Amino acid sequence: MTMFSEFIDSHFLVDLPLERAAFTWSNGWDPVTFSRLDRFLISGAWEEHFPDVSQAVLVKVTSDHVPLVLDCGGLSSRRTPFRFENMWLRSEDFQGKFLKTELKRWNKEVFGNLEWKKNRVFADIAKLNRLDEVGQNGESLHSKRASCQAVFAEIALMEEISWRQKSRALWLKDGDRNTKFFHRLANTHRRCNHIGRIRVNGSELWREDEVRGGIVSFYQQLYTETLGWRPTLDGLPFNYISALDSDRIEIPFMEEEVLKALSSCNEDKALGPDGFTIRFLKESWEVVRA
């Protein structure tokens, strides 16, 4: 298995986790033997093109091998939660946009799709290269090339910031550049967080709506209070704090304390479910505090 892992690493392949089962082969004898002999190995380029790719087992009928299916991911009808993108802060048009609805509209209509922008810059550079080949290389051409290169560098930096934020690689310093590494790390997090099946009250749920409903039902029952006898604490001794310490607990936080606490947090993280990151709060502190 070690040699196999070394082979995968040396060829820069990705061994996808297997869903719905742990093994793909059994001998069918007594005693029974299980093993995982079958798998899909994908390249980094494939994973970049299909970030939601996964492999799962089908029903075994006659063969001693379990059929595998490679799912490249489909279109989801679910609403994705809002997540503030730290790369937005590099845009000159960002200032003053602090509402989720306004940010979503601005991202779609003004900021735009980075991949489309990058492809457009590639096309402009290719056009300039063709003009270079036929000898049309004047001062204006050099100026346009420098402008295109500057735009491309800014887009590449924004992509780096976005994928670094998605990768949650907190041990890296801001400015470290390795987009492919960030991309693969983010995809790994996405696969690990995906719940393909769940067992509720002895029954396995597979469909997306069933899994979602099973999770909601479990926690509803877990946090539903049932009426009954409760123990009392009368007569039990407890430690207590002094009146001075009690008063200090209720002292309002100073703005300097809040800002210092925020500054010590990782900038790619969000404090709550609203999706706004620490970097947004630090960059827009004067507006937030108002």
Side-chain angles (χ1 to χ4, degrees):
M1 190 64 183
T2 303
M3 293 181 61
F4 182 67
S5 300
E6 292 177 352
F7 169 82
I8 294 176
D9 294 337
S10 63
H11 288 77
F12 305 101
L13 299 174
V14 179
D15 185 11
L16 297 172
L18 184 64
E19 298 182 4
R20 305 178 190 172
F23 307 103
T24 62
W25 174 87
S26 64
N27 58 0
W29 299 344
D30 188 16
V32 66
T33 301
F34 295 97
S35 180
R36 185 185 174 191
L37 302 179
D38 311 280
R39 68 190 70 218
F40 286 101
L41 298 177
I42 64 174
S43 66
W46 181 280
E47 186 184 27
E48 288 182 16
H49 193 68
F50 300 103
D52 296 323
V53 62
S54 63
Q55 62 175 332
V57 300
L58 299 176
V59 178
K60 182 176 67 172
V61 181
T62 57
S63 174
D64 51 2
H65 289 265
V66 178
L68 298 181
V69 58
L70 186 67
D71 186 354
C72 296
L75 297 177
S76 175
S77 58
R78 293 175 299 168
R79 293 180 58 186
T80 56
F82 172 82
R83 292 184 178 88
F84 183 85
E85 290 279 0
N86 286 338
M87 64 177 177
W88 291 342
L89 294 168
R90 294 190 59 85
S91 174
E92 295 179 355
D93 299 323
F94 171 75
Q95 298 299 325
K97 297 169 178 60
F98 303 110
L99 298 177
K100 291 182 182 180
T101 53
E102 187 178 358
L103 275 171
K104 289 180 179 179
R105 182 186 57 79
W106 172 80
N107 180 53
K108 181 179 180 180
E109 299 177 2
V110 180
F111 188 82
N113 184 279
L114 284 184
E115 190 67 26
W116 179 84
K117 289 183 177 180
K118 185 168 65 174
N119 292 335
R120 188 178 64 178
V121 173
F122 276 146
D124 292 340
I125 294 177
K127 183 179 179 180
L128 293 174
N129 290 340
R130 289 193 295 269
L131 294 175
D132 236 352
E133 293 172 358
V134 297
Q136 300 182 22
N137 48 1
E139 186 68 28
S140 62
L141 191 65
H142 290 301
S143 177
K144 290 179 181 179
R145 186 187 303 278
S147 177
C148 289
Q149 290 173 344
V151 172
F152 176 79
E154 182 65 18
I155 292 174
L157 179 58
M158 288 186 178
E159 281 189 325
E160 198 77 27
I161 293 172
S162 179
W163 280 110
R164 180 184 182 278
Q165 182 178 346
K166 292 182 176 70
S167 72
R168 302 179 184 176
L170 306 183
W171 49 272
L172 290 171
K173 295 181 179 179
D174 193 15
D176 289 344
R177 297 193 175 187
N178 195 336
T179 303
K180 287 186 179 295
F181 170 76
F182 295 152
H183 200 153
R184 295 184 65 176
L185 200 58
N187 290 339
T188 301
H189 285 313
R190 185 186 293 110
R191 282 196 295 269
C192 291
N193 292 333
H194 172 69
I195 301 177
R197 63 173 175 170
I198 190 173
R199 187 184 297 273
V200 179
N201 298 327
S203 302
E204 283 197 352
L205 307 178
W206 302 83
R207 296 207 325 261
E208 183 178 333
D209 57 337
E210 291 180 338
V211 171
R212 190 185 304 113
I215 295 174
V216 172
S217 176
F218 172 80
Y219 282 101
Q220 283 179 340
Q221 295 178 16
L222 181 64
Y223 293 111
T224 298
E225 184 178 22
T226 56
L227 298 178
W229 175 82
R230 289 184 178 181
T232 61
L233 302 177
D234 296 337
L236 296 179
F238 291 97
N239 294 328
Y240 62 91
I241 62 176
S242 65
L244 179 61
D245 291 333
S246 177
D247 293 337
R248 287 176 177 175
I249 293 177
E250 299 181 358
I251 295 177
F253 293 110
M254 302 295 292
E255 180 180 332
E256 292 76 12
E257 294 178 296
V258 176
L259 185 57
K260 183 178 180 180
L262 289 175
S263 300
S264 64
C265 297
N266 184 273
E267 293 185 342
D268 293 337
K269 288 289 189 177
L271 291 178
D274 60 6
F276 286 98
T277 61
I278 297 296
R279 178 170 293 184
F280 165 78
L281 295 176
K282 290 170 65 175
E283 295 281 346
S284 309
W285 181 251
E286 292 300 322
V287 178
V288 173
R289 66 189 290 268

